Amino acid sequence: MSRFLLIVSFVWCCCSCISLHKDNNMSPEMPGGEYTHADVENLALLCKVWGFMKYYHPSVRAGEYDWDRELLCIMPSLVSLPSKEKRNEVLVKWIDQFDFKKKNGIYSLCASDSIKLLPDLDWIEDKSNLGTILSDRLKEIRDAERDTASYYVNLGVINMGNAVFEHEERYSKCTFPNIDYQLLSLFRLWNAIQYYFPYKYLLKDNWNEILLNHIPLFLEITSRMDYESALKRFIAEIHDTHAGIYGGPTKKYLVPVVIRFIEGKAVVTEYYELKSEFKEEKQILQPGDVILRINSEAVDSIIKRITPYISASNEASLLRRIAVDELLWSNDTLLYVDYERNGVVEKSRIKCLPNRMRESTIFEKPHPLVTVLPSDILYLYLGSNIGGKVPQEIKAKKMIIDLRAYPVMKKIEGYWEYNTLYPSSTNFSIFTHGSLLQPGLFTFGPIIKAGKENEDYYQGKKVILVNEVTQSHAEFMTMKYRCTPNTVVMGSTTAGADGNCSSIILPGNFRATFTGLGVYYPDKSETQQIGILPDIEVKNTIQGICKGRDEVLEAAIKYLNNK
């Protein structure tokens, strides 16, 4: 037997006689050695069966068992088996421990035009792989009568319907490597996405193949840092800008400038607003500087190295996340940066400041909510963290709504039901919601409307500004305002991640997030990954940044003033 199998057998055998507690550590040795493709296939099937029972089996979904412990107890029995037949026999014996009344539920699928995504359960019909008995057992569970409530998940607040995962142990004190918790984490997250990610049909690769490919990565983890990296690499497979892994150590320092990719280059565009004790700090980098290398590594190399660990819906949001969250961050107080300014390459040792010193982010800034621009243009910046109330009586002849940020919902009053912009009730979106009775099923809800009958609605021309920072609620508001009369969207493609976020706790006190609610146009066409496409594309240029110009805003003003 290989060293890997010896360690697994030694560690996992404890599960049959020791209860799993949330702070214990059951895998003190480092995994290693060889494992067979059959071992990986067996673990992958166990993942699918365990997750299927978690969300479908009447007794399991009711919380009657310590389902994490049951997984760890059965794991050693799935390693080093002589055949598929023996594996299937082991799984049948395990499933039969969890009895239920074999009374069929009445779960007829609703009208086909309301279904967006069917449960991915074809695998339980594959008798050539599962054998007749195991396949039949799983189909009995699929068809069993279930309560409407589930111990592990509910569907959020009224009219939202994204998955809210509950009763997932953190195992805060576990250390790594630890085979038990590593695989439990992968299995927990894979199944959460399997049954409650509304855009699983958009994945670039087969979800079952992704599981097979990642099990070896989770078996070969040698440290907590490896574990976090494996989780990030896994969640990146769903290509969702909402998706991420949180709970690991964050870098403490950054150079307090905003980086955006403009004309394919990493460009300094502005400074972050700093807290008072840091306002006098001298800034070496200037708007328009092109970042070439950081600590002697070329920016292109950095992008290539970290892209597999970043989940992003599209190229624009991928580069945004790299620019804002990765490039000029450090655990040291100094970064060595090569940059180009006015055609000259310069090198500097740049002081980093503590992250806590920022008063602003790319998503919100201390700009006024309401400004009146020349030519009688009302300018609304919905990323204002100063807050205020949007004007209900609009006297200006033209309007710009800047959504190149995130609406600060707690501080801005009136923007959500901005009914003065609408002449009547208007369709603008439709959601898909998951199912507790048939996990994996997503169906369309009713059309979402905006506005109401209003003879005195605002009839002036409007421009909505968007770019890669426009994400989630900002994208939703763009859709909402876009359906008002005399309105165009101007700028560049948005982040392509709309819909409420779901999050699930993972072992080691980590948390994973992903989009939990499907958002579409009224005709059911896509927004996810595509983003909100502008009617008029306008992008900033490096030359414009150097001169301190906001070329997108300038284009909007020019458009509004053009009769």
Side-chain angles (χ1 to χ4, degrees), residues 299-426:
V299 168
D300 287 347
S301 174
I302 296 173
I303 294 172
K304 185 176 181 179
R305 172 169 56 81
I306 65 179
T307 291
Y309 302 92
I310 297 177
S311 184
S313 301
N314 54 34
E315 184 73 10
S317 59
L318 171 67
L319 292 177
R320 187 205 78 203
R321 295 189 78 169
I322 291 173
V324 174
D325 300 331
E326 301 288 342
L327 287 187
L328 293 181
W329 288 79
S330 177
N331 285 321
D332 299 319
T333 56
L334 294 173
L335 275 179
Y336 294 85
V337 180
D338 298 7
Y339 58 94
E340 181 181 342
R341 179 183 297 166
N342 298 324
V344 178
V345 175
E346 303 188 30
K347 300 182 180 182
S348 289
R349 187 175 64 172
I350 299 179
K351 180 181 178 181
C352 301
L353 298 180
N355 176 36
R356 60 182 172 80
M357 56 74 207
R358 290 188 298 172
E359 289 280 15
S360 66
T361 69
I362 62 165
F363 291 105
E364 56 183 64
K365 300 172 185 176
H367 292 177
L369 170 63
V370 179
T371 306
V372 178
L373 303 177
S375 302
D376 201 18
I377 297 174
L378 178 67
Y379 174 73
L380 296 183
Y381 177 71
L382 293 188
S384 170
N385 59 20
I386 297 173
K389 183 177 181 180
V390 298
Q392 298 299 311
E393 183 181 358
I394 304 173
K395 297 180 179 180
K397 295 180 180 179
K398 295 156 277 191
M399 177 186 290
I400 294 173
I401 303 174
D402 196 339
L403 279 163
R404 297 174 296 174
Y406 193 89
V408 185
M409 292 179 276
K410 293 182 179 179
K411 293 187 177 182
I412 300 177
E413 182 182 349
Y415 82 94
W416 177 253
E417 296 296 343
Y418 208 1
N419 290 328
T420 192
L421 302 182
Y422 301 87
S424 60
S425 180
T426 306

Side-chain angles (χ1 to χ4, degrees), residues 102 126 138 143 148 200 229 238 290 351 365 440 491 503:
K102 296 178 181 176
D126 185 4
L138 296 174
D143 299 333
T148 54
K200 195 161 73 72
S229 294
I238 70 173
V290 178
K351 180 181 178 181
K365 300 172 185 176
S503 66

Side-chain angles (χ1 to χ4, degrees), residues 180-205:
D180 299 332
Y181 293 108
Q182 290 156 201
L183 291 180
L184 169 61
S185 186
L186 175 62
F187 290 9
R188 189 185 284 182
L189 183 52
W190 187 89
N191 281 289
I193 293 168
Q194 165 82 343
Y195 295 108
Y196 289 103
F197 181 48
Y199 298 116
K200 195 161 73 72
Y201 62 92
L202 291 177
L203 297 184
K204 296 179 181 179
D205 297 308

Side-chain angles (χ1 to χ4, degrees), residues 187-357:
F187 290 9
R188 189 185 284 182
L189 183 52
W190 187 89
N191 281 289
I193 293 168
Q194 165 82 343
Y195 295 108
Y196 289 103
F197 181 48
Y199 298 116
K200 195 161 73 72
Y201 62 92
L202 291 177
L203 297 184
K204 296 179 181 179
D205 297 308
N206 180 277
W207 193 230
N208 298 301
E209 291 297 323
I210 289 171
L211 175 62
L212 283 169
N213 292 338
H214 281 265
I215 286 175
L217 301 180
F218 277 75
L219 291 174
E220 294 165 3
I221 288 167
T222 61
S223 66
R224 184 178 176 86
M225 185 179 295
D226 274 359
Y227 172 61
E228 182 180 4
S229 294
L231 287 172
K232 288 181 175 179
R233 189 161 189 162
F234 177 72
I235 199 74
E237 296 277 12
I238 70 173
H239 302 285
D240 172 24
T241 308
H242 273 150
I245 301 295
Y246 305 92
T250 57
K251 293 179 180 178
K252 300 177 182 178
Y253 304 99
L254 81 160
V255 180
V257 297
V258 178
I259 303 292
R260 289 182 60 206
F261 277 89
I262 296 175
E263 299 179 31
K265 299 178 180 180
V267 180
V268 177
T269 59
E270 59 187 298
Y271 302 114
Y272 285 119
E273 295 281 342
L274 303 180
K275 294 184 178 178
S276 57
E277 62 265 39
F278 296 102
K279 284 188 180 295
E280 301 304 318
E281 289 284 342
K282 182 180 178 181
Q283 301 293 339
I284 293 177
L285 295 174
Q286 298 178 7
D289 289 348
V290 178
I291 307 300
L292 304 176
R293 304 178 73 86
I294 300 170
N295 287 341
S296 300
E297 184 178 7
V299 168
D300 287 347
S301 174
I302 296 173
I303 294 172
K304 185 176 181 179
R305 172 169 56 81
I306 65 179
T307 291
Y309 302 92
I310 297 177
S311 184
S313 301
N314 54 34
E315 184 73 10
S317 59
L318 171 67
L319 292 177
R320 187 205 78 203
R321 295 189 78 169
I322 291 173
V324 174
D325 300 331
E326 301 288 342
L327 287 187
L328 293 181
W329 288 79
S330 177
N331 285 321
D332 299 319
T333 56
L334 294 173
L335 275 179
Y336 294 85
V337 180
D338 298 7
Y339 58 94
E340 181 181 342
R341 179 183 297 166
N342 298 324
V344 178
V345 175
E346 303 188 30
K347 300 182 180 182
S348 289
R349 187 175 64 172
I350 299 179
K351 180 181 178 181
C352 301
L353 298 180
N355 176 36
R356 60 182 172 80
M357 56 74 207

Side-chain angles (χ1 to χ4, degrees), residues 416-483:
W416 177 253
E417 296 296 343
Y418 208 1
N419 290 328
T420 192
L421 302 182
Y422 301 87
S424 60
S425 180
T426 306
N427 297 337
F428 81 95
S429 69
I430 189 170
F431 297 159
T432 59
H433 306 271
S435 170
L436 293 179
L437 286 176
Q438 293 175 283
L441 175 69
F442 280 85
T443 55
F444 286 103
I447 293 285
I448 308 299
K449 296 178 178 290
K452 61 183 182 181
E453 296 297 326
N454 180 13
E455 292 182 358
D456 297 323
Y457 74 96
Y458 176 71
Q459 299 184 35
K461 292 169 67 177
K462 296 180 292 298
V463 177
I464 304 170
L465 304 185
V466 298
N467 64 9
E468 73 278 5
V469 178
T470 308
Q471 178 174 319
S472 193
H473 188 55
E475 292 179 289
F476 193 65
M477 295 310 299
T478 302
M479 294 169 65
K480 190 171 185 179
Y481 293 146
R482 189 182 211 169
C483 64

Side-chain angles (χ1 to χ4, degrees), residues 202 313-314 475 493-497 525-533:
L202 291 177
S313 301
N314 54 34
E475 292 179 289
T493 302
T494 64
S525 57
E526 299 285 350
T527 65
Q528 183 76 2
Q529 297 187 358
I530 297 170
I532 309 301
L533 301 178

